[in-house]
Amino acid sequence: MTRPSEARIDLDALRHNAALLRERHGGRLLAVLKADAYGHGAAACARALQERCDGFAVAFLDEALALRAAGVRAPLLLLEGVFDAAELDAAAAQGLWIVVHHEAQLRLIESAALPPASLAVWLKMDSGMHRAGFAPEQVRAAHARLRACGAVASLTLMSHFARADEPDCDATPRQLQVFEEATAGLAGERSLCNSAGLLAWPQARRDWARAGIALYGADPIPGGGHGLRPVMTLQSRVFAERWLAPGEALGYGGLFVASAPTRVGLVAIGYADGYPRAAATGTPVAVDGRLTRTLGRVSMDMMTVDLTGLPDAGIGSRVELWGPQVDVNEVARRAGTIAYELLCNVKRVPRRYAEAAPA
Ligand SMILES: *Cc1c(COP(=O)(O)O)cnc(C)c1O
């Protein structure tokens, strides 16, 4: 038997989520496939989503070139833009769309010798996140300079929300207002929403949404209830078991000490596979479809779960670390992080697609 650990990717769930998000947004949808589609496999996800969205977004050139090499011909936006003149040439040659968010990128375009009308540019404005983007008072000048570049075929105005996942916070409406004031009257389509913006802030929907985490079925809004289906199931099996007597300590650091006779299942997955070491005793897992908890420290290649209340479970039992039964958001919360980080950190385990999409 090979090691029974895998990340199952349900491409039907991915399509369901994309259709739901596009329907809710109303406008067009860019599916964000950066970081290998948040750990789900960018090429397979792109193929599965071809009919369900209007283009894709990745962080940088190499991610886009990998998708082009895999045969993806759809519009592809570089969310970080290009880093130098050679990248700009390559992006133009591949027909990539590029974000321009700071002065040096603007100068690259102004000084490039590119064919006329060969570039689709997304001009990014900082409306309050204060990370990347032109300041509100710079955006008109940047827009005018780009319009004066013969290579620029189209301009889309974009911004990004810092706190769209907090429905009771007024940061998002303030960002919206800053964006509206700074871009009033400027030509071009608009794009503001990430997943949380799309789901929680209907007034922010514009021509294009850029959805990542919600596509993969992790609801970015606490409490959720948006009808998203988890795409990844991280799973393994129990491959050994033992009883702990009261007073016996389990695993590295002896962090879990049995207070009553405890039946422990040893599971063939660990932090080297991307399960978070920071998840403490009590983090939910499902064994043969029944919810139980982790016990003690997660090790590099294995971890331990509580089988005491599950007399029918034992060697060979299927363990879901996250998926339809165990919300990845809850595992993330227990580990002091977010679902994004857990999903894109999955490694070493094989990915298996729930249909024969990937080559
Ligand atoms: C990653 C990213 C997104 C997608 O964000 P989600 O929260 O995963 O939907 C959208 N826009 C930009 C600029 C991004 O970098």
Side-chain angles (χ1 to χ4, degrees), residues 74-94:
L76 258 174
L77 175 67
L78 304 185
L79 291 167
E80 288 185 346
V82 295
F83 286 85
D84 58 31
E87 284 207 357
L88 180 59
D89 290 343
Q94 293 290 334

Side-chain angles (χ1 to χ4, degrees), residues 32 34 38 79 124 158 160 194-195 210-213 340:
V32 179
K34 62 193 177 189
Y38 296 37
L79 291 167
K124 184 170 181 176
M158 72 177 280
H160 194 48
N194 57 359
S195 296
R210 314 178 303 269
I213 195 71
Y340 297 75

Side-chain angles (χ1 to χ4, degrees), residues 11 41-48 69-71 351 353 355-359:
L11 295 175
C45 290
R47 272 181 224 123
R351 257 191 226 124
Y353 291 89
E355 52 151 75

Side-chain angles (χ1 to χ4, degrees), residues 180-202:
E180 286 305 330
E181 285 172 11
T183 59
L186 291 180
E189 293 189 319
R190 271 51 174 175
S191 175
L192 295 173
C193 287
N194 57 359
S195 296
L198 190 169
L199 290 169
W201 301 96

